[in-house]
Amino acid sequence: METKPEKSLNFIHEIIEEDNKTGKFGNRVHTRFPPEPNGYLHIGHAKSICLNFGTAEKYNGLCNLRFDDTNPVKEDVEYVDSIKEDVHWLGFDWQGREFYASDYFETLYGYAELLIKKGKAYVCALSIDDIGKFRGTVTHAGQESPYRNRTVDENLDLFRRMRAGEFADGAMVLRAKIDMAHPNMLMRDPILYRILHAEHHRTGDKWCIYPMYDFAHGQCDSIEHITHSICTLEFEVHRVLYDWFVKELEIYAPQQIEFARLNLTYTVMSKRKLLELVQGGHVKGWDDPRMPTICGLRRRGFTPGSIRNFADIIGVAKRNNVIDVSLLEHCLREDLNKKALRKLAVLNPLKLVIENFPEDEVEEMDAVNNPEDPETGMRKVPFSKYLYIDEEDFMENPPSKFFRLSPGNEVRLKYAYIIKCTDVIKDDNGKITEIHCTYDPETRSGLPQSNRKVKGTIHWVSAKHAIEAEVRLYEQLFLKENPEEVEEGEDFKANMNPNSLQIKNCFCEASLKEVKSGEKFQFERQGYFCVDPDSTSERPVFNRTVTLKESKAKTQK
RNA sequence: UGUCCUGUGGUGUAAUUGGCAACACGUCUGAUUUUGGUUCAGAAGAGUUCAGGUUCGAGCCCUGACAGGACAACCA
């Protein structure tokens, strides 16, 4: 019997299966995730991580973690540490195959000399501006550098002296000798090495010349015997250059495959812009829960599984895309719904007095921990005469479709009694300060009378037993689906949502007193919340990860 | 006025490689529900950028337009 694949293959896996059929790489699948350690990873990287590690997993292959650290002035160990943490957190392991472009500096240097000896590279002393000018434009050919025809010996000597530190930064560069009229700008004698007297986070001051990304990336893949070098679309035009290097150097040739990077509605994804948000103080840091960074999402309360599932669902293709953030939220809720323990918490407290309930009596109510997972059992929550309910759950003059509490109407208190509103107390300004109700003792949850139909069920917390906590409610960071859509003269920051963070004091059930940073809960009827590291034993802090899905009827007041 | 890449419901991804467009999210109904959540049932929404061509038959092949994206850092 034939086993049919449940899901159709994405175009990359199709290529791989074809390669496996033809034996192109000896049925090997070896990918890599190659970040530059110059910033924090974001959800776009997560797509790439899932693709690279996931592909290796799928085909019983390997996936390396390789840091593209060819620019010492921008890179730092802080970033390599965070990247490793994030990849692990997502659930992937490189099994010790942690490599660095800087591991190959000596080999790369050798490649450069080889090119010089073949007459395919030369040392150019044109200024940075002149190199730009000589390059021509996208529609017009460039012109050749006056240094282009130096002898091999001269080039070799100069290049060795570059390495030896005889020249100042920017004095000269090593260039490939290809074609200054090539329609692809990258082929117009690209720079291979530049002089940079800078301390490298791994090699220290061993080098004062560093390879350019283009001269490093493809060869690093080659050195590691990567079979499929999966990268984003903007490197499509670089592929001919990489192929040129591989051919001239006569080294192992990986196959580069480009895919479209992830874009999400209501967010920005470029490292530069994220950095701007951090440095401009628009958010509290890289791990601000509003950031699309992996660490931000983690702090917000996302689960690795939900992100992996998301990456799987969005698929991989070559056309530019913008994924609706609601899909990400859907994956999140789907995961959290199954796992998060339910709790009662009141975000906008409104006092409620049950007039016919004995003054000092406390009843212990049975509450379900997670209806999606019976294994999690039950817990007790205290009930008393004085409660808090949520402001939104009461309306003095409700529309017909309002299911919650209003004067003269009944509502069920979750896990407790059916109550009826008898009175509304207001202050001098007419603001409602207190609701008075009566309860029906026959309707306690579990009793036969509790099955009586009422329109709605609301959550509550006993005033005397509740603990206080801080909640941080988040909305999208930007008001427009596409934050780049701005008036002339403005930039994406003009679209920032002034209400993306709202901090509140809330009352929650006492069992939330002892919580650990990172723990996730569902506050019933409100959303999923995650314990923030800012929590203290005195005062827990909860981040609202995402609201529950809300029907229109509930949202409209 | 160059090169390369890409055009399928609102969004994303499919379509057994030429056989009358499917799945998911979103939207909207209805049922169930002690979460206006979950679950369940159902609906609307594209005729595949356009125009030609090949073919009994084209989203898939060919030609030509058009549209969008990428590329001119001693960044990656």
Side-chain angles (χ1 to χ4, degrees), chain A residues 126-403:
Chain A
L126 238 32
S127 72
I128 192 165
D129 286 345
D130 284 340
I131 286 182
K133 283 179 196 143
F134 278 55
R135 189 146 31 215
T137 70
V138 118
T139 49
H140 295 286
Q143 52 179 310
E144 296 184 350
S145 162
Y147 305 99
R148 200 173 199 259
N149 294 313
R150 287 208 235 246
T151 64
V152 167
D153 288 342
E154 208 179 345
N155 282 320
L156 216 43
D157 174 60
L158 250 18
F159 188 50
R160 285 174 181 168
R161 286 164 60 195
M162 275 169 68
R163 175 179 185 170
E166 288 187 30
F167 308 111
D169 287 4
M172 50 190 74
V173 292
L174 182 73
R175 293 230 250 167
K177 194 173 182 176
I178 307 181
D179 178 4
M180 288 309 289
H182 198 106
N184 182 338
M185 298 292 289
L186 291 163
M187 298 297 273
R188 323 247 259 228
D189 290 11
I191 295 170
L192 271 26
Y193 267 89
R194 76 287 214 187
I195 301 170
L196 233 41
H197 290 270
E199 177 98 2
H200 186 280
H201 71 106
R202 300 205 97 220
T203 59
D205 58 5
K206 183 174 178 203
W207 295 88
C208 62
I209 57 171
Y210 290 92
M212 296 291 289
Y213 173 85
D214 277 345
F215 190 65
H217 192 89
Q219 283 96 299
C220 290
D221 284 344
S222 174
I223 291 165
E224 293 179 12
H225 277 73
I226 299 304
T227 54
H228 304 270
S229 304
I230 301 169
C231 65
T232 46
L233 252 29
E234 65 268 32
F235 295 105
E236 225 156 18
V237 270
H238 296 240
R239 194 177 53 227
V240 292
L241 213 210
Y242 301 163
D243 290 347
W244 186 88
F245 288 138
V246 161
K247 187 173 135 272
E248 293 299 334
L249 262 13
E250 297 174 51
I251 53 178
Y252 166 87
Q255 176 178 354
Q256 174 170 303
I257 306 170
E258 309 86 8
F259 72 97
R261 60 156 23 111
L262 167 69
N263 294 292
L264 269 184
T265 55
Y266 298 103
T267 194
V268 293
M269 208 69 96
S270 89
K271 272 190 193 175
R272 201 207 89 229
K273 295 194 181 89
L274 294 176
L275 179 67
E276 205 176 326
L277 292 176
V278 172
Q279 290 185 335
H282 299 96
V283 294
K284 290 176 182 167
W286 286 101
D287 69 342
D288 186 300
R290 290 166 292 182
M291 292 281 275
T293 48
I294 307 287
C295 53
L297 296 170
R298 176 164 61 229
R299 188 165 179 180
R300 175 80 169 250
F302 276 73
T303 57
S306 67
I307 294 174
R308 273 187 271 118
N309 188 232
F310 172 72
D312 191 44
I313 283 177
I314 59 175
V316 186
K318 293 192 79 150
R319 81 178 89 140
N320 296 311
N321 62 81
V322 185
I323 310 281
D324 201 318
V325 73
S326 64
L327 180 57
L328 213 210
E329 293 178 343
H330 167 262
C331 294
L332 216 209
R333 291 190 183 104
E334 189 180 45
D335 196 22
L336 256 16
N337 178 48
K338 286 180 290 193
K339 296 177 186 162
L341 297 183
R342 315 287 127 124
K343 296 290 177 185
L344 297 178
V346 173
L347 265 43
N348 299 294
L350 174 60
K351 273 190 190 168
L352 184 140
V353 180
I354 301 173
E355 290 172 328
N356 58 339
F357 197 85
E359 186 67 31
D360 291 317
E361 189 162 320
V362 177
E363 283 190 43
E364 295 289 327
M365 301 306 195
D366 290 310
V368 176
N369 284 326
N370 184 353
E372 306 299 317
D373 181 6
E375 301 271 295
T376 57
M378 311 274 282
R379 69 183 186 286
K380 300 282 187 191
V381 282
F383 182 88
S384 66
K385 184 181 179 80
Y386 302 99
L387 308 175
Y388 287 114
I389 62 165
D390 241 297
E391 277 176 1
E392 293 98 73
D393 287 336
F394 177 82
M395 274 190 102
E396 195 171 12
N397 301 299
S400 60
K401 281 283 199 176
F402 189 74
F403 295 169

Side-chain angles (χ1 to χ4, degrees), chain A residues 397-534:
Chain A
N397 301 299
S400 60
K401 281 283 199 176
F402 189 74
F403 295 169
R404 290 155 277 170
L405 195 62
S406 58
N409 269 325
E410 282 191 332
V411 78
R412 187 192 308 278
L413 292 174
K414 181 97 183 174
Y415 306 129
Y417 297 97
I418 293 173
I419 57 170
K420 183 175 194 170
C421 175
T422 54
D423 210 358
V424 181
I425 315 293
K426 297 178 185 174
D427 64 12
D428 296 342
N429 302 317
K431 186 182 184 302
I432 298 170
T433 56
E434 213 171 285
I435 305 295
H436 284 216
C437 292
T438 55
Y439 84 116
D440 178 351
E442 303 289 300
T443 60
R444 188 200 220 260
S445 285
L447 295 179
Q449 281 299 306
S450 71
N451 289 327
R452 210 170 85 211
K453 287 274 176 244
V454 284
K455 272 203 290 186
T457 301
I458 64 172
H459 57 98
W460 52 274
V461 83
S462 167
K464 187 165 49 180
H465 305 88
I467 60 158
E468 271 188 58
E470 177 176 321
V471 283
R472 298 176 181 171
L473 307 179
Y474 301 101
E475 286 176 17
Q476 300 301 343
L477 245 191
F478 295 92
L479 293 166
K480 286 194 178 162
E481 275 197 17
N482 174 13
E484 309 292 348
E485 192 186 303
V486 289
E487 300 289 315
E488 186 71 35
E490 293 180 327
D491 76 351
F492 72 103
K493 296 194 296 304
N495 284 324
M496 290 198 73
N497 177 2
N499 298 317
S500 60
L501 168 63
Q502 197 189 349
I503 297 178
K504 279 179 176 292
N505 203 26
C506 83
F507 290 109
C508 42
E509 64 171 87
S511 67
L512 250 15
K513 180 76 178 165
E514 310 279 324
V515 288
K516 292 195 300 288
S517 176
E519 265 190 291
K520 296 163 182 64
F521 301 98
Q522 183 196 105
F523 290 177
E524 294 215 43
R525 304 206 309 127
Q526 310 194 83
Y528 296 96
F529 289 75
C530 178
V531 181
D532 190 86
D534 285 350

Side-chain angles (χ1 to χ4, degrees), chain A residues 529-543:
Chain A
F529 289 75
C530 178
V531 181
D532 190 86
D534 285 350
S535 297
T536 64
S537 51
E538 297 299 299
R539 183 176 169 81
V541 176
F542 295 100
N543 292 314

